[in-house]
Amino acid sequence: MLFKSITTLDLSDNGLLQTLDVGFNQRKFDLTGPNCLTSATLQANQLSSIDLSQNTGLVYLSANDNPLTSLDVSALTALTQFYAQTSPSLSSLNTQNGNNLNLTAFNATNCPLLTCIQVDSPAYMNTNRSAGEGAGAKI
């Protein structure tokens, strides 16, 4: 589903929803309802926080360009593609989910306040995904 210019979004009765694209809206919304999501594009919204704890099947997550201060995707054990770049307020990122070896895409660049990224294996991420970390960020 692709949504543009929405003012509210209640996903609590959409437990079978698998793909969600709510990028480029200027609103805040809650994703705690659906638990079958495999793909979520949440870029360029006004999200200051995202609760993804019930979305453990997410394989793809794009949360870039939001005013997030912290993002925890440690519950997303199926995650293979992750984007949180250009989030100027992001200062805490936890990707320690037991699945970092299966990441095929990872980008957290242009997050000037991000100085530390929690990962499963710093050696693996520094060797294979270091291009995705923010300037000054230490895996």
Side-chain angles (χ1 to χ4, degrees), residues 2-108:
L2 176 62
F3 296 101
K4 299 288 182 193
S5 301
I6 57 174
T7 57
T8 61
L9 181 61
D10 179 358
L11 299 174
S12 60
D13 291 330
N14 294 293
L16 299 178
L17 185 66
Q18 292 182 339
T19 301
L20 179 68
D21 184 340
V22 289
F24 301 96
N25 284 281
Q26 295 299 312
R27 304 292 181 239
K28 300 177 182 181
F29 38 85
D30 185 1
L31 294 180
T32 56
N35 57 19
C36 290
L37 279 178
T38 57
S39 176
T41 301
L42 310 172
Q43 67 189 37
N45 289 293
Q46 293 300 313
L47 301 176
S48 57
S49 66
I50 304 172
D51 180 357
L52 298 167
S53 61
Q54 295 180 25
N55 307 109
T56 58
L58 275 176
V59 174
Y60 173 90
L61 175 62
S62 174
N64 48 298
D65 199 18
N66 277 289
L68 296 166
T69 56
S70 67
L71 184 55
D72 184 346
V73 296
S74 61
L76 308 182
T77 58
L79 195 63
T80 60
Q81 297 179 55
F82 174 74
Y83 305 93
Q85 71 267 24
T86 318
S87 296
S89 302
L90 188 63
S91 61
S92 173
L93 177 57
N94 182 355
T95 65
Q96 196 170 20
N97 62 4
N99 190 46
N100 290 172
L101 296 177
N102 293 316
L103 282 172
T104 59
F106 177 83
N107 193 332

